[in-house]
Amino acid sequence: MKRNLKLSEIKPSIKPLFPIAMFAVILMLLDPKLGVMVLLIYVGKVLELYFTLYQFNSETFRYTHGILTKDSKELYYYRIKSINVTRDLWPMILGLYNVEIISKDPS
């Protein structure tokens, strides 16, 4: 089934990371050093997701990410060989997917 895509942008959701933040706060009460470490990892992941952008238009897919420096990769649809979507147990519970795009392009 072929779809005509309009220019669209998708920002990853931060909501699935909320249970990790709650876990970090509880852990901070029990062991402050370990709780701070988990909280710093959480903040890093939130920033990583906040500065990630997926853009789709009629011919290309673009992935842009980075906090201090922006890195952008563009892939033409005609170069896509296959798309694999997998879900493990915990990501499935949180509503997350792993999407792997295999293309003819070496990058």
Side-chain angles (χ1 to χ4, degrees):
M1 180 164 133
K2 188 174 180 179
R3 294 185 184 175
N4 294 328
L5 296 175
K6 297 184 285 184
L7 177 63
S8 60
E9 297 181 351
I10 299 175
K11 294 287 292 175
S13 176
I14 297 172
K15 290 178 185 175
L17 294 177
F18 182 73
I20 297 170
M22 295 305 299
F23 175 71
V25 170
I26 292 170
L27 194 58
M28 202 177 300
L29 295 173
L30 300 174
D31 185 2
K33 291 180 184 177
L34 189 58
V36 168
M37 187 171 65
V38 170
L39 192 61
L40 287 175
I41 292 170
Y42 169 76
V43 168
K45 288 295 181 184
V46 167
L47 286 174
E48 181 182 328
L49 287 175
Y50 183 77
F51 289 101
T52 300
L53 179 65
Y54 300 97
Q55 295 175 311
F56 301 89
N57 63 28
S58 61
E59 296 178 6
T60 62
F61 162 71
R62 178 179 291 164
Y63 166 65
T64 306
H65 64 99
I67 297 172
L68 299 176
T69 59
K70 291 286 184 184
D71 185 26
S72 182
K73 296 184 181 186
E74 188 172 59
L75 177 64
Y76 286 92
Y77 294 134
Y78 70 86
R79 292 191 159 275
I80 294 176
K81 289 170 65 175
S82 68
I83 298 174
N84 299 325
V85 179
T86 58
R87 295 176 79 179
D88 294 328
L89 178 62
W90 288 110
M92 187 179 354
I93 292 170
L94 296 173
L96 302 175
Y97 296 87
N98 288 325
V99 179
E100 178 184 15
I101 299 174
I102 300 171
S103 72
K104 300 173 191 173
D105 194 3
S107 63

